[in-house]
Amino acid sequence: MSDVDFGPLQHLIGVWKGDKGIDIAPIPGSSEDTPYFETISIVAVGDVTNAKKQTLVVVKYHQVVSNKSDGAVFHDQIGYWTFDPETGVLTQSVNIPRAVGLLAGGNVSDKNGRVEFSVKAIDGDKDWGVVQSPFMRDNARTVSFEHKVVVEGNVMTYEETTVLDIYGKTFDHTDQNTLIRS
Ligand code: HEM
């Protein structure tokens, strides 16, 4: 496993911490911007071969996000990033404890040490879709998810937009932060 070349995913591996997070979530009757701090731990998995044809390199992550006001964890997320060196296809799987999961697809660019990962999923898309419980589909549906992560050395910034269909309207649930690799 130690001889696996993780390609651009190598830049993600590490323990990242940041306390400049801003969450905008659909919380009726409360202030819309919530500052947060978080740790994202990303570790090497190795490579996998699919259908004897495709070989992906894989890292996995665990993201734990806490509300600055009281320190309580208010978002927990796990998943994998995969990269196919032959095609350049990047994926991120997202699982959150609301009975919602998704597989977002996209690509990665590396220009002068600025590595940019971009992925997107849309509910109902035949390639990169969303899976959610019937309750969430009917009451708080994830319509789409878009995520951009930029790594420059030991600094990671990200922006993500999760479009929700909730409380009878469409809501852009957004998150952004800057993290440092420890
Ligand atoms: C840093 C990342 C994120 C943070 C801090 C965050 C935080 C929150 C918060 C505070 C709420 C309001 C509901 C509550 O009181 O718990 C919420 C709602 C929701 N979030 Fe997130 N979220 C994040 C990412 C995501 C992602 C990636 C998804 C889906 C892929 C997602 C899906 C949802 C859904 C479906 C709801 C509506 C549930 C409800 O309010 O009934 N969130 N989120």
Side-chain angles (χ1 to χ4, degrees):
M1 185 155 312
S2 58
D3 57 358
V4 170
D5 177 357
F6 287 93
L9 299 187
Q10 183 69 42
H11 298 283
L12 294 174
I13 294 170
V15 176
W16 301 85
K17 290 179 189 288
D19 63 359
K20 311 246 173 328
I22 298 289
D23 170 65
I24 300 180
I27 308 173
S30 90
S31 149
E32 281 199 320
D33 284 24
T34 308
Y36 64 80
F37 62 93
E38 69 180 317
T39 301
I40 305 178
S41 307
I42 307 181
V43 299
V45 172
D47 55 17
V48 293
T49 302
N50 291 326
K52 296 195 172 167
K53 281 189 215 154
Q54 180 194 55
T55 299
L56 304 177
V57 289
V58 186
V59 299
K60 66 179 173 181
Y61 69 91
H62 185 195
Q63 178 180 20
V64 181
V65 187
S66 302
N67 194 322
K68 267 194 181 176
S69 69
D70 57 5
V73 173
F74 73 154
H75 182 78
D76 187 287
Q77 183 180 319
I78 57 169
Y80 297 97
W81 289 91
T82 77
F83 179 71
D84 181 342
E86 292 241 325
T87 62
V89 173
L90 174 74
T91 77
Q92 181 191 11
S93 59
V94 170
N95 260 288
I96 60 167
R98 296 182 186 276
V100 176
L102 62 84
L103 183 64
N107 53 52
V108 52
S109 67
D110 184 345
K111 286 182 195 132
N112 304 321
R114 185 180 192 277
V115 190
E116 187 171 315
F117 303 80
S118 300
V119 290
K120 185 169 184 179
I122 301 173
D123 189 26
D125 189 86
K126 74 176 173 52
D127 294 329
W128 310 115
V130 178
V131 193
Q132 47 204 326
S133 68
F135 180 89
M136 294 304 277
R137 178 196 63 211
D138 295 343
N139 294 278
R141 184 170 76 94
T142 296
V143 176
S144 65
F145 170 82
E146 207 160 350
H147 190 195
K148 186 168 93 174
V149 180
V150 175
V151 176
E152 289 181 282
N154 288 324
V155 180
M156 169 192 284
T157 53
Y158 73 81
E159 293 171 359
E160 70 186 19
T161 300
T162 310
V163 178
L164 301 177
D165 183 357
I166 187 168
Y167 307 129
K169 60 181 183 193
T170 301
F171 186 93
D172 282 2
H173 175 18
T174 61
D175 293 283
Q176 61 184 77
N177 203 357
T178 299
L179 302 94
I180 307 293
R181 182 168 15 210
S182 51

